[in-house]
Amino acid sequence: MNHRKLPDLEYVDVRNKRRTRFGGLFAPPRATPSTTPLQLYSATHPAMGTEYSLYLYAHSGAHADSIAKPVFQEVDRVEGLLSNYQPGSELSRINREAFQHHVTTDPETFRFLETCLAWSERSQGAFDISVGKLMKVWKFFGASGAIPTPEELAAAREDVGWKKIKLDRTARTVRFLAAEIELDPGGVGKGYAVDRAVGVLRARQVGAALLSAGSSTIYALGAPPGEPGWKVRVPSARKGEDTVSTVILQDTSLSTANLSEKNFVHEGHLYGAIMDPRTLRPVEGMLQVTVISPSATDSDVLSNALFVSGPEDRAALLEGRQQACALVILENQLAAEYEATRWPAEVANGHLAELADAEER
Amino acid sequence: MNRRSLLQGLSFSMLAAKLSGTSSPFGEAEEPQPEPARPIAANDRVNIGIIGPGSRGQELIRQLLRTPGVEIAAQCDVYEPRFAEVNEFVGKKVPAYKDYRELLERKDLDAIFVATPPLFHAPCAIAALNSGRPVYCEKTIGFTPEECTNLVDAVARTGQIFQVGHQWRYGSWITDGIQRVQRGEIGEPTHVYGYFHRNDNWRREVPKPELEHLINWRLYRESSGGLLEELGSHFIDLANWVFGEQPQTILGTTSISTYNDGRTVGDNVQAVFGYSKGRTMFFSSILDNGIAGAQLWVYGTKGALQITLEDSTIYWEKAEMITAASHSKVIDRGLKTGASYQAETLTPYRGPGLRTQMKKEEDPTLTACKAFIQSVRTRKQPFANVDVGYGSGIACSIGRQAIFEGRVATLPQLKRLG
């Protein structure tokens, strides 16, 4: 469910214009002189089927390296916990065993599943972590997609549905009520990993950093020196246009859901990898949803849930999340249409921000 | 590094006593509890106390949290920030102790996990056994040969359940592969080659310089057997499993080729262990190139088993005898003479279609923890018992000295209490 086009990233380092890959050997631990000016460093790390990028201000390469290492270790740890591509992950173990018996899991995984089910309830099933089987019958798991047979779809209906996942908080167990249920963290995993990794940055008192999970979920921590925040550009869904809006973020996250990463065309029709778990079909009529929210888990989930939901449900979801801002781009034969809710920047073509708010007033 | 600087960094009181040769606070002199712990019913909760919840200890706790009927009931560490880390992912405040003897005084604990640096494995494990509790002890079971023997004796004397942290014995793909070897699928296994190569300084981040030796205990001879002990012990254990015995000799070398940062253990190790009937195990670990990664090869007379951390694969040698229809040519025309070199016979096998692949499923540490809890409930010794622990422990404790001193050493074989 989590296949997005990458909003372009832009980082600003006005004074140094420096961007350095980490490398070299470890220097024995020593205090970094605080008089050394901060410089911008970047590092990348492959994880969760994409590339994580970290940009941060540090006093030296060794200093930056000492921060990047535990940040990416935390991303890897979360991947080892939640990946449905790794048979040894906790999520894979739950997928294998939870129909046969109550599976005792650790508190972190349990809380994660509680969060997912709460979002399913809140979004009336628009967000649903149980779509694993659906992704497989549409051949989006490890492939680029194909239309399933009616028999495959009928079988998948039995094996999809968040209400078939039962959690027992007292015993800390998970149980599936259908034999072939498969949890797929695609619409939430990267956001959760970003939140956890930002926790590592905060614990190390990092003042300014930008962490990007393949650019579909981004967290802006603090701001570059002398800047109001980190710039993130939201790409236009319309041909010939580069950017639809540029936002400046500080201590918040941004996630984008769109169809550019995984899709296929059949008889002239575009099928994307973002599924409506209720119809068991790819969502149509939507091009892109970008959400800004203090929690990366929330922005990741919400961008997908809004993508799947109809107009009224979108409004209701956003009404309940006053800290969230959204820019929704709808598919239109002639031109893209926009819905901006509490969006903090201008939108291209004269579509001004705060449209939704203005109407409310 | 001298003893003084080590002690400044490592405030563990046990270490002070150990290195200064004063009377031991480790509990060897404590009287063993005469009665073994009661069996625990299938539905009863098993209360766990863990000594040393650092990185490995925390991984054990994570897996215990996935094991039904288990409660993390007590933790002990000399490094206090560990307590908050544990409380965070356990989701509650776990009673904390700075002295392991206080933890062992708790009467409600049903089993003890020991995940300290190896220097303290045997003292803590023996004290826990003497307190009448089953013990899961990380590898290696002893830092010195005497400690390995003492731990074996303590298990025999107390009759307690003991499991060593050789979790690879519980990996489904590893078990499957080694059982295939034992069924003769690769002929007679004669050599085991283990590589643990990485491109990583093996150093942990240190918040304050004075904590260097406490955090980076792996890098100093006083507190670590280095790569042979930390990484090699798993491979040595698998070789012991394949050959059905512990090694008899060790020859090895170590040096610092890249990380001249004050560490006193090598950043590379090569060791050869000798087994009966001329069989050998070779172990290599380097820290400045990770291309080979972690992989173990069991070479047999008819094929090979490759084990990685994710899967295992069997390769068979090409058939030696071929019935050819053209034999008459040899008889009629004679054999043509020429150069004897044939590159293909020396090229590593890369052909398709001869692989039998077994994939990883459950994390072997979780399987090992479940097996231990089951042993605690049933009072039956686990697969990775103290004899298994002795096999790798004695190899590493003797091997450490042999490598540092550059000599061939003979290993004492396991002897049971009379």
Side-chain angles (χ1 to χ4, degrees):
Chain A
M1 249 171 91
N2 187 27
H3 306 293
R4 285 83 173 273
K5 171 140 187 188
L6 323 174
D8 292 335
L9 268 179
E10 183 174 288
Y11 64 89
V12 181
D13 177 20
V14 179
R15 285 178 297 189
N16 297 310
K17 298 287 182 196
R18 176 163 177 177
R19 180 178 172 180
T20 309
R21 296 256 156 204
F22 296 157
L25 300 179
F26 177 83
R30 59 175 178 264
T32 304
S34 56
T35 51
T36 311
L38 286 170
Q39 293 182 325
L40 183 61
Y41 291 88
S42 74
T44 58
H45 178 73
M48 298 186 178
T50 187
E51 187 170 79
Y52 278 69
S53 304
L54 175 65
Y55 304 81
L56 81 162
Y57 283 85
H59 294 290
S60 66
H63 179 213
D65 198 20
S66 73
I67 293 164
K69 200 170 163 182
V71 166
F72 291 142
Q73 278 172 349
E74 180 64 4
V75 170
D76 287 345
R77 188 192 67 77
V78 173
E79 183 176 22
L81 193 71
L82 300 180
S83 171
N84 57 333
Y85 284 83
Q86 293 184 10
S89 77
E90 182 63 358
L91 200 80
S92 294
R93 187 175 76 92
I94 290 169
N95 279 340
R96 277 193 305 273
E97 299 180 9
F99 179 66
Q100 299 154 22
H101 59 90
H102 295 275
V103 175
T104 302
T105 191
D106 59 273
E108 181 183 7
T109 305
F110 193 85
R111 279 196 301 272
F112 173 80
L113 293 176
E114 279 189 323
T115 301
C116 290
L117 294 194
W119 269 110
S120 291
E121 186 164 20
R122 202 176 287 143
S123 67
Q124 301 175 63
F127 171 80
D128 191 334
I129 196 178
S130 76
V131 293
K133 198 67 184 295
L134 198 55
M135 298 301 282
K136 283 187 176 168
V137 298
W138 281 87
K139 313 285 190 300
F140 282 119
F141 181 83
S144 56
I147 293 179
T149 64
E151 294 76 26
E152 285 176 323
L153 268 186
R157 185 169 292 284
E158 297 297 312
D159 303 322
V160 173
W162 61 278
K163 290 181 179 172
K164 297 170 190 167
I165 305 167
K166 295 297 173 192
L167 302 181
D168 181 337
R169 186 180 291 183
T170 310
R172 218 172 57 239
T173 57
V174 190
R175 188 78 199 262
F176 293 163
L177 302 183
E180 302 289 326
I181 287 222
E182 284 188 37
L183 307 183
D184 182 328
V188 58
K190 293 192 188 80
Y192 180 72
V194 166
D195 275 336
R196 295 296 307 217
V198 168
V200 173
L201 287 166
R202 289 191 191 283
R204 279 149 209 279
Q205 281 91 43
V206 173
L210 190 68
L211 178 64
S212 165
S215 84
S216 66
T217 294
I218 297 166
Y219 193 93
L221 179 65
E227 296 291 325
W230 296 87
K231 276 186 191 172
V232 176
R233 288 186 286 126
V234 180
S236 172
R238 198 185 283 176
K239 279 184 186 173
E241 279 185 8
D242 177 36
T243 302
V244 69
S245 184
T246 300
V247 288
I248 295 175
L249 305 179
Q250 182 173 2
D251 296 324
T252 195
S253 78
L254 175 147
S255 291
T256 294
N258 71 19
L259 300 181
S260 64
E261 202 170 304
K262 269 194 181 180
N263 60 58
F264 67 97
V265 176
H266 179 73
E267 294 178 350
H269 194 88
L270 178 71
Y271 295 88
I274 299 180
M275 292 285 162
D276 187 335
R278 302 161 298 191
T279 63
L280 308 181
R281 297 180 58 82
V283 175
E284 298 189 31
M286 295 290 288
L287 289 178
Q288 180 169 287
V289 176
T290 301
V291 170
I292 299 170
S293 172
S295 152
T297 306
D298 284 0
S299 68
D300 193 1
V301 171
L302 197 49
S303 64
N304 284 289
L306 292 175
F307 198 99
V308 171
S309 299
E312 289 179 7
D313 291 341
R314 284 200 295 273
L317 267 173
L318 287 166
E319 175 122 9
R321 315 297 289 182
Q322 285 298 313
Q323 287 186 299
C325 317
L327 181 61
V328 175
I329 306 180
L330 305 160
E331 190 176 11
N332 184 300
Q333 292 294 340
L334 301 174
E337 295 176 355
Y338 302 92
E339 279 178 19
T341 306
R342 295 184 285 272
W343 192 251
E346 285 192 5
V347 181
N349 293 342
H351 286 79
L352 296 174
E354 309 294 344
L355 277 182
D357 284 357
E359 285 167 9
E360 283 168 17
R361 286 184 216 116
Chain B
M1 184 196 64
N2 60 31
R3 196 176 77 193
R4 181 189 173 95
S5 62
L6 175 68
L7 294 179
Q8 283 172 342
L10 197 55
S11 58
F12 209 165
S13 62
M14 294 197 308
L15 177 62
K18 190 158 194 172
L19 292 175
S20 62
T22 57
S23 62
S24 166
F26 306 140
E28 290 98 326
E30 291 171 22
E31 286 299 315
Q33 185 164 308
E35 293 177 27
R38 288 183 299 106
I40 299 169
N43 293 328
D44 285 355
R45 200 174 51 179
V46 177
N47 287 326
I48 300 291
I50 182 159
I51 304 171
S55 61
R56 182 61 193 163
Q58 289 183 15
E59 178 59 20
L60 288 170
I61 295 173
R62 283 182 192 280
Q63 302 302 349
L64 285 167
L65 290 168
R66 295 164 185 159
T67 306
V70 168
E71 185 80 20
I72 308 301
Q75 56 174 329
C76 170
D77 207 298
V78 294
Y79 185 52
E80 286 190 47
R82 299 286 180 234
F83 299 145
E85 293 168 14
V86 168
N87 293 342
E88 199 266 333
F89 69 81
V90 171
K92 66 167 193 176
K93 192 168 182 182
V94 179
Y97 306 89
K98 291 196 75 175
D99 187 323
Y100 75 103
R101 291 164 296 190
E102 288 178 31
L103 179 143
L104 292 178
E105 283 171 11
R106 283 267 300 268
K107 299 300 177 198
D108 61 330
L109 301 180
D110 300 307
I112 306 298
F113 275 63
V114 177
T116 62
L119 190 59
F120 308 114
H121 284 172
C124 292
I126 290 171
L129 290 166
N130 286 345
S131 77
R133 262 72 69 99
V135 172
Y136 183 108
C137 179
E138 266 305 322
K139 53 80 191 169
T140 57
I141 66 165
F143 195 63
T144 65
E146 295 73 26
E147 285 184 341
C148 295
T149 304
N150 291 343
L151 189 48
V152 172
D153 290 349
V155 172
R157 191 180 64 235
T158 60
Q160 282 301 334
I161 298 297
F162 181 88
Q163 183 169 325
V164 63
H166 278 316
Q167 70 277 0
W168 290 10
R169 286 197 174 230
Y170 295 86
S172 55
W173 74 103
I174 295 174
T175 303
D176 186 12
I178 290 185
Q179 284 174 346
R180 283 167 180 269
V181 169
Q182 290 171 338
R183 287 197 298 267
E185 289 196 21
I186 62 167
E188 189 65 32
T190 48
H191 303 286
V192 174
Y193 276 48
Y195 303 89
F196 219 127
H197 291 192
R198 47 206 269 186
N199 201 334
D200 172 353
N201 59 32
W202 213 36
R203 182 175 270 290
R204 299 283 168 91
E205 188 185 4
V206 179
K208 290 185 242 171
E210 57 267 31
L211 295 175
E212 166 66 6
H213 289 276
L214 184 67
I215 304 288
N216 279 312
W217 55 266
R218 287 176 186 79
L219 303 183
Y220 300 98
R221 288 188 187 191
E222 288 81 355
S223 51
S224 170
L227 296 164
L228 181 71
E229 176 186 77
E230 289 301 306
L231 305 181
S233 54
H234 285 300
F235 285 156
I236 296 165
D237 176 53
L238 294 184
N240 292 353
W241 187 7
V242 167
F243 292 143
E245 62 181 12
Q246 65 161 87
Q248 298 174 342
T249 57
I250 175 203
L251 159 70
T253 180
T254 188
S255 68
I256 295 177
S257 58
T258 296
Y259 301 104
N260 285 294
D261 58 3
R263 70 185 64 193
T264 55
V265 300
D267 62 9
N268 69 96
V269 163
Q270 297 79 34
V272 181
F273 292 90
Y275 291 76
S276 68
K277 297 187 273 186
R279 299 174 296 180
T280 62
M281 189 267 175
F282 169 76
F283 173 68
S284 167
S285 186
I286 64 177
L287 291 180
D288 44 18
N289 182 291
I291 299 298
Q295 54 175 320
L296 183 90
W297 286 87
V298 181
Y299 295 121
T301 50
K302 293 180 180 171
L305 166 69
Q306 181 193 32
I307 295 173
T308 75
L309 300 186
E310 294 290 327
D311 55 21
S312 61
T313 307
I314 293 228
Y315 300 85
W316 286 286
E317 296 273 19
K318 290 166 187 167
E320 290 175 6
M321 296 300 291
I322 298 171
T323 304
S326 59
H327 278 174
S328 60
K329 286 185 185 171
V330 174
I331 305 302
D332 297 343
R333 300 181 59 190
L335 195 64
K336 187 181 177 185
T337 181
S340 62
Y341 175 73
Q342 278 186 287
E344 68 170 25
T345 63
L346 299 175
T347 303
Y349 176 74
R350 297 195 186 99
L354 292 180
R355 299 180 180 189
T356 302
Q357 200 155 48
M358 300 146 271
K359 284 280 189 185
K360 174 182 178 181
E361 280 207 338
E362 186 169 279
D363 188 307
T365 301
L366 173 57
T367 318
C369 286
K370 284 181 182 171
F372 175 70
I373 298 301
Q374 184 68 8
S375 289
V376 170
R377 293 186 189 282
T378 61
R379 304 289 306 155
K380 289 181 183 164
Q381 288 292 352
F383 178 41
N385 60 20
V386 76
D387 291 6
V388 166
Y390 182 85
S392 64
I394 198 70
C396 291
S397 58
I398 298 269
R400 182 180 77 245
Q401 285 305 314
I403 284 173
F404 289 156
E405 295 167 14
R407 61 181 171 85
V408 180
T410 303
L411 309 181
Q413 299 293 303
L414 177 62
K415 286 180 192 155
R416 292 243 151 262
L417 278 180

